[in-house]
Structures are given as structure tokens and as C-alpha cells.
Amino acid sequence: MTDHEQDRRTGAPSRYVQGPGALRRLGRYTRRLGQGLFLISDAAGIERIRRDVEEGLPGAGGVEFVPFEGACCEKEITELVRRFEASGCQVVAGAGGGRHLDVAKAVAAFARAPMVMLPTVASTDAPCSALAVLYTPDGIFDRYLYLDKNPDLVLADTAHIAAAPARLLAAGMGDALSTWFEARACAEAGGKNSFGTAPGAAALCLAQGCWNNLLCCGAKALEQAREKRPGEELETIVETNIYLSGVGFESGGLAAAHAVANGIASLGRANRAGHGEAVAFGVQVQLVLEQRLGAQPLRARQDLSQVRAFCKSVGLPTSLADLALADITGAELSELARVALDPAGNMGNMPFAVTAEDLIGAVKALAQPV
């Protein structure tokens, strides 16, 4: 074991701000980072937030809105870096969902500029992480871009998040759902987090807090999202989906749940299932594996029952049928297992060995919904 691997490293954004109308106070938090905001989003997203952002940046050097509809690929990023450097702006921001946040992270990293994340949905835990996912120009996964630091600011305006489709909040809960179960598995296995070190106590506390908050507030938060009103439970779940899960997954480590989600994503016909929905199903597969192969089968059985009840309460999938994969073929199951068991992936953070036969059997055990 190297000296680095003996460390316990926890990464987090320098500042996290959340609340209804937070975009109208944006300048208060970006002033320390520099003058002028180079803000990347799609055209529709820009129109949704333009008035609030302009109100929030008086005397802060203004904002250049940059409509972006392309793929998060090196060619597009290189062009955006050129535009940023010619703009006179000092700060790079991304607004919207995962793709535009990742593009902004990459641009900021290559331009060595301060990085601001403005999520307008809580469908993923990506805003807080030091990671961007790069694709080819035609949208095929290329590689992960690991950044030198986490974002300088993550600001979540819950008025905009509450206005987004409720299904996106539920998907974020699916992503957050995995955080505790994967971090626990990683810690028990002596595995590594995203920084290549053991998960520390802070990460494990945040990860467990994800699960506690989901059980306590998830269903009520979804009601508030459907009614387009930010209440206390919605505020708790937004922070859970974005911050607790974002720091918890990166510093706590990933395991079987995300490995299974990657396998599901490799099946082209299943792409209509969002990442968080696939991860929620992956959590259940992980717990089936723990029940069959792990040292604490009773704990896994109880966890699986509780997780499936939670998923049903917020509309997350509990079966292959819910993912429109009731008719999954043997060849597709083999492909799912091949991707999930990739040695470069996350399955190695499980505290026991998993074979393709084990994994396919666990997936098939969840053929029917609760």
C-alpha cells in the first residue's frame, strides 16, 4: 500500500448555497471568485433563469449567456475555452442538468478558471463532484475527466428546482439512495473512493444521512414537487440529492449499484430509463447479492425490503418490468454482466467476489415489481 492509499481523502465544493430565489443573490457568492460570469446552458434553460441571474449580478461584472446544444466532448470544450478566454469574463458557470454542468466543469478546468454550478434540477449528485463525463461528438461515452478540485460554488435555487418535472427529483432520490449502501460496501471491503483512498468517517456519515433523509422526507418532498412548491421536505431532499449524495458518493466510494446501472445503460433500448432510476434498481440488485453472498444476509434481506418499499412510494423501479426490460434476453443479460463486472469499474468495491452467474441471477430475481 502506498502512502497515498493510506490517506482518507474527502472532497467537497468550497461553498454550497441553497434556497428559493438563490439565483437573485448570485453576486453575493461569486464576487470573491472574480468579475464576469460565462454561463453555459441550453437556450431554453437560459430563458428560464435569465431574469434572476441578471438581477443577482449587479456590479459583479455582468454575465455572458452561452447557449450550448452540443455534446460534452473535447472538440466542443476546446471551442468554449477559446470563447471564454476571448470574453473578458473571469468565472465559468454551468446551469441546468448534468450535461451542461459537466461542460462547464471541463471548460473551467482547462481554462484554469473558477467553477460555479447552478443546478436547476435535483436529478443527480454530479454538481458537487470533481468529475466530468466526456463523450465523443456523436454522443458515445469517451472517458471520465478527473478534475484537480471540486467546484468553487454550487448554488441551488429551489424555486426553479420545484418547477421542474417531479420525476427528475425522484430520479435524484434514486441516485442518492445508492450512496449509503455503496459506501458501506466499500468500507467493509477495504475499497477505494473516487480519490483512490479509503472512505473516511465524514463521508460515511453523509452517506448514511442520505438514506435517513430519503426515508424521512422523500415521499413528502415528491408531493411538494408535484405541487411546484418548495417546502421543508423538498429543501431537505434537494440538499440530500445534490450535496450529501455528491460528497458521499465521491468520498465514500461506489460499488455494485452503479456497476449495474452502467450495465443497464449499455443496453441501447433501455436508455429511456434515467441514470437515477437505473441506480435505484442497481441498489436492489446489490442487496440481493449481499443476501446471497455476503456475511450479513439477514441485514441485507431487511434492507432490501425497506428499499423496495421506499422505491415504490416515490415511483422508482423495483423490477426489470419497471425498466421496460421484462423481455430482456440472455444475450442482453450477458452484456449487462460484462459491463458491470469490468475490472476497471466499481464491482471490485464489494466485500465478496461476484461472478457473471451471480449477477445475472440477482437481476433475474427482480423480474417482477413489488
Side-chain angles (χ1 to χ4, degrees):
M1 181 180 290
T2 67
D3 290 342
H4 165 74
E5 289 173 328
Q6 295 181 59
D7 295 338
R8 294 186 177 190
R9 181 175 170 186
T10 300
S14 298
R15 297 285 190 279
Y16 179 81
V17 178
Q18 175 185 311
L23 280 173
R24 296 196 298 273
R25 299 179 287 278
L26 181 58
R28 179 181 304 177
Y29 303 107
T30 60
R31 194 174 296 118
R32 66 186 177 87
L33 301 175
Q35 296 289 304
L37 205 65
F38 187 83
L39 195 156
I40 302 166
S41 188
D42 60 24
I46 287 171
E47 288 311 303
R48 282 193 295 270
I49 65 173
R50 179 186 292 273
R51 180 177 298 178
D52 286 348
V53 169
E54 289 176 340
E55 181 180 334
L57 288 170
V63 56
E64 180 171 331
F65 292 102
V66 184
F68 179 77
E69 309 291 345
C72 184
C73 64
E74 289 204 33
K75 179 181 178 182
E76 299 278 11
I77 291 163
T78 299
E79 173 60 17
L80 286 169
V81 169
R82 185 196 65 76
R83 291 178 60 186
F84 168 72
E85 291 174 343
S87 71
C89 296
Q90 296 178 335
V91 181
V92 177
R99 178 166 61 102
H100 292 97
L101 300 184
D102 276 0
V103 168
K105 284 183 189 179
V107 171
F110 287 124
R112 300 188 179 278
M115 182 190 310
V116 172
M117 299 286 101
L118 305 174
T120 57
V121 294
S123 60
T124 174
D125 51 20
C128 292
S129 72
L131 173 72
V133 183
L134 301 187
Y135 295 85
T136 63
D138 51 358
I140 298 171
F141 172 77
D142 179 14
R143 62 187 173 92
Y144 293 114
L145 177 66
Y146 293 95
L147 311 177
D148 291 337
K149 65 174 185 175
N150 296 75
D152 296 281
L153 170 68
V154 177
L155 184 144
D157 189 324
T158 46
H160 285 277
I161 290 172
R167 181 186 174 186
L168 297 177
L169 185 76
M173 287 192 266
D175 212 6
L177 170 63
S178 73
T179 310
W180 165 237
F181 297 103
E182 292 189 286
R184 181 179 73 182
C186 185
E188 291 176 353
K192 299 291 189 288
N193 63 18
S194 296
F195 303 114
T197 72
L204 293 172
C205 286
L206 286 171
Q208 189 166 37
C210 283
W211 181 220
N212 293 341
N213 287 349
L214 291 172
L215 285 175
C216 175
C217 302
K220 185 68 174 178
L222 192 61
E223 286 181 23
Q224 293 169 359
R226 287 170 177 152
E227 295 168 1
K228 309 299 183 188
R229 59 180 179 87
E232 189 60 35
E233 289 81 6
L234 181 64
E235 293 285 348
T236 296
I237 292 302
V238 168
E239 188 172 356
T240 298
N241 288 4
I242 295 176
Y243 187 85
L244 274 73
S245 184
V247 178
F249 99 78
E250 189 171 40
S251 302
L254 300 176
H258 270 79
V260 170
N262 291 338
I264 291 170
S266 73
L267 308 179
R269 70 188 183 99
N271 283 344
R272 58 183 171 275
H275 173 73
E277 294 162 335
V279 170
F281 180 76
V283 174
Q284 295 161 72
V285 174
Q286 176 174 322
L287 291 170
V288 172
L289 289 169
E290 290 185 17
Q291 184 178 326
R292 294 179 175 183
L293 304 172
Q296 299 188 58
L298 178 58
R299 182 188 73 179
R301 185 180 303 116
Q302 293 170 337
D303 287 342
L304 178 61
S305 176
Q306 196 170 30
V307 164
R308 299 195 86 195
F310 169 76
C311 287
K312 184 176 181 181
S313 74
V314 296
L316 288 168
T318 60
S319 69
L320 287 168
D322 290 340
L323 291 171
L325 288 171
D327 60 344
I328 192 169
T329 66
E332 287 174 319
L333 283 168
S334 294
E335 173 63 10
L336 188 159
R338 184 192 68 78
V339 172
L341 295 170
D342 185 334
N346 307 121
M347 193 66 79
N349 276 339
M350 293 298 290
F352 45 78
V354 179
T355 68
E357 183 180 3
D358 294 329
L359 183 56
I360 290 170
V363 170
K364 290 170 72 173
L366 297 167
Q368 297 302 317
V370 173

